[in-house]
């Protein structure tokens, strides 16, 4: 369908994915990624969007269930469409991905939910990635906006590499990543910020669940000339509201090689007052991380 678009694009295009009322509709893809590249846009404001056919942008923008409009938006809920492949964007000026669950199709190849590369801007709204090598990554001068989304049981959660820029907007959850929850590496830049007009959606949770013990795990890693900012200034005209980051270990065991926030000497973290560090004691009560196990 994308091949059938006329270039350069002069009007916006929305690609609808069929849904099933009784359960998520699965699109099976044998390759590990669908490539979107060199999509030329003729004028500002023109976008390409991919969404389920039950998606309602007005509901979503009002922080309601985007399919029904009933109930508050729950970023951890099941999506109505599953795609067994990732999206790879190269030279894509503006792409929106809305309400899609990405998961591994079993090819055995490296697969990432969304990969954004050079000269691309991708806005991911209320999507999820599960059981993949990576969740959502940006590299090589691209920009990725990750908003109210979920990453579950992937190799890494969200990442900015090689000058890529990643904004985590609203309430995102990174659950049970195998090696690192969120990472900025090789001059990557990450900004945590609130969701415009919905200030209660402002918490990113990086969590390892009960029974998931991780050795050499990093909830947040910042290294090799990278920068991470957590917005703590509600009046800053360049951002959209205060954000918080919760590092959560749902186990009474805190392994010595479990690193909550690891910052290398050549990198920088700003907004360190906006972190919450919690783990469980042997009685199952939430307690704070020891001070020497928080930001290293």
């Amino acid at each position: 369908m994308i091949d059938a678009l006329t270039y350069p694009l002069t009007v916006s295009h929305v690609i609808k994915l069929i849904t099933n009322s009784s359960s998520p509709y699965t699109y099976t893809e044998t390759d590990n990624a669908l490539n979107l590249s060199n999509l030329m846009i003729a004028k500002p404001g023109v976008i390409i969007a991919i969404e389920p056919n039950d998606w309602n942008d007005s509901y979503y923008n009002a922080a309601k269930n985007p399919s029904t409009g009933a109930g508050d938006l729950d970023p951890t809920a099941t999506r109505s469409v599953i795609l067994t492949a990732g999206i790879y964007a190269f030279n894509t000026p503006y792409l929106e991905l809305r309400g899609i669950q990405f998961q591994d199709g079993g090819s055995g190849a490296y697969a990432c939910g969304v990969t954004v590369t050079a000269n691309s801007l991708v806005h991911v709204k209320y999507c999820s990635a599960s059981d993949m090598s990576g969740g959502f990554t940006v590299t090589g001068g691209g920009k990725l906006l990750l908003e109210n989304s979920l990453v579950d049981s992937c190799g890494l959660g969200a990442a900015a590499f090689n000058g890529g820029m990643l904004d985590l907007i609203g309430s995102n959850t990174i659950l049970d990543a195998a090696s690192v929850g969120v990472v900025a590496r090789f001059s990557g830049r990450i900004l945590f910020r609130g969701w415009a007009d919905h200030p209660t959606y402002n918490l990113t949770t990086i969590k390892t669940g009960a029974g998931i013990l991780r050795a050499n795990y990093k909830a947040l890693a910042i290294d090799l000339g990278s920068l991470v900012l957590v917005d703590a200034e509600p009046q800053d005209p360049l951002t959209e509201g205060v954000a918080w980051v919760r590092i959560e270990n749902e186990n009474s065991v805190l392994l010595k090689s479990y690193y909550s926030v690891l910052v290398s000497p050549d990198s920088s973290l700003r907004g360190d007052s906006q972190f919450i560090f919690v783990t469980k004691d042997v009685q199952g009560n939430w307690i704070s991380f020891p001070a020497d196990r928080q930001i290293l």
Side-chain angles (χ1 to χ4, degrees):
M1 181 176 293
I2 293 174
D3 289 339
L5 299 178
T6 301
Y7 299 107
L9 301 179
T10 57
V11 296
S12 295
H13 293 266
V14 178
I15 299 170
K16 295 283 189 177
L17 303 177
I18 296 172
T19 58
N20 185 325
S21 60
S22 61
S23 62
Y25 190 95
T26 300
Y27 287 82
T28 302
E29 174 58 48
T30 55
D31 292 331
N32 64 331
L34 303 177
N35 296 320
L36 301 179
S37 61
N38 300 316
L39 300 179
M40 296 179 290
I41 288 178
K43 58 183 180 181
V46 172
I47 70 169
I48 295 176
I50 304 175
E51 66 185 29
N53 68 351
D54 63 357
W55 177 271
N56 185 305
D57 222 32
S58 296
Y59 292 160
Y60 176 77
N61 291 330
K64 298 298 181 182
N65 182 310
S67 298
T68 66
D72 293 334
L73 181 74
D74 178 5
T76 65
T78 301
R79 276 50 173 182
S80 60
V81 162
I82 296 172
L83 178 62
T84 61
I87 297 287
Y88 181 92
F90 173 79
N91 277 343
T92 301
Y94 192 82
L95 170 69
E96 283 196 7
L97 301 171
R98 305 166 178 165
I100 302 170
Q101 178 178 331
F102 301 96
Q103 68 182 38
D104 185 11
S107 66
Y110 178 88
C112 183
V114 176
T115 302
V116 182
T117 62
N119 304 316
S120 297
L121 171 59
V122 178
H123 194 166
V124 174
K125 297 181 177 181
Y126 188 68
C127 289
S128 67
S130 59
D131 301 305
M132 306 186 83
S133 301
F136 301 94
T137 65
V138 57
T139 187
K143 186 168 185 178
L144 170 60
L145 309 177
L146 183 62
E147 184 176 283
N148 298 323
S149 292
L150 168 69
V151 184
D152 187 358
S153 303
C154 292
L156 61 85
F161 299 127
N162 299 317
M165 296 180 289
L166 168 65
D167 286 16
L168 289 108
I169 306 167
S171 294
N172 294 285
T173 298
I174 314 295
L175 175 63
D176 293 340
S179 60
V180 59
V182 176
V183 57
R185 183 163 292 158
F186 294 115
S187 301
R189 194 277 286 155
I190 295 177
L191 170 64
F192 295 86
R193 57 185 173 96
W195 190 22
D197 302 322
H198 298 287
T200 58
Y201 288 83
N202 64 358
L203 176 67
T204 291
T205 301
I206 307 172
K207 175 180 178 178
T208 48
I212 306 296
L213 299 178
R214 295 293 192 226
N216 299 314
Y217 168 85
K218 304 171 187 67
L220 172 61
I222 314 164
D223 55 34
L224 297 172
S226 297
L227 171 65
V228 170
L229 305 95
V230 185
D231 186 17
E233 301 293 338
Q235 305 305 318
D236 188 340
L238 300 180
T239 59
E240 298 183 13
V242 169
W244 294 88
V245 180
R246 178 183 172 97
I247 309 297
E248 181 177 315
N249 172 49
E250 199 177 354
N251 295 283
S252 59
V253 177
L254 191 61
L255 298 180
K256 184 176 181 180
S257 58
Y258 179 109
Y259 303 98
S260 50
V261 178
L262 188 62
V263 187
S264 69
D266 58 5
S267 299
S268 180
L269 169 65
R270 299 179 186 175
D272 54 1
S273 63
Q274 300 303 110
F275 282 82
I276 303 164
F277 301 91
V278 291
T279 186
K280 284 193 172 180
D281 62 18
V282 292
Q283 285 80 36
N285 302 310
W286 288 111
I287 59 173
S288 296
F289 273 59
D292 61 355
R293 301 295 303 277
Q294 295 183 7
I295 299 177
L296 307 174

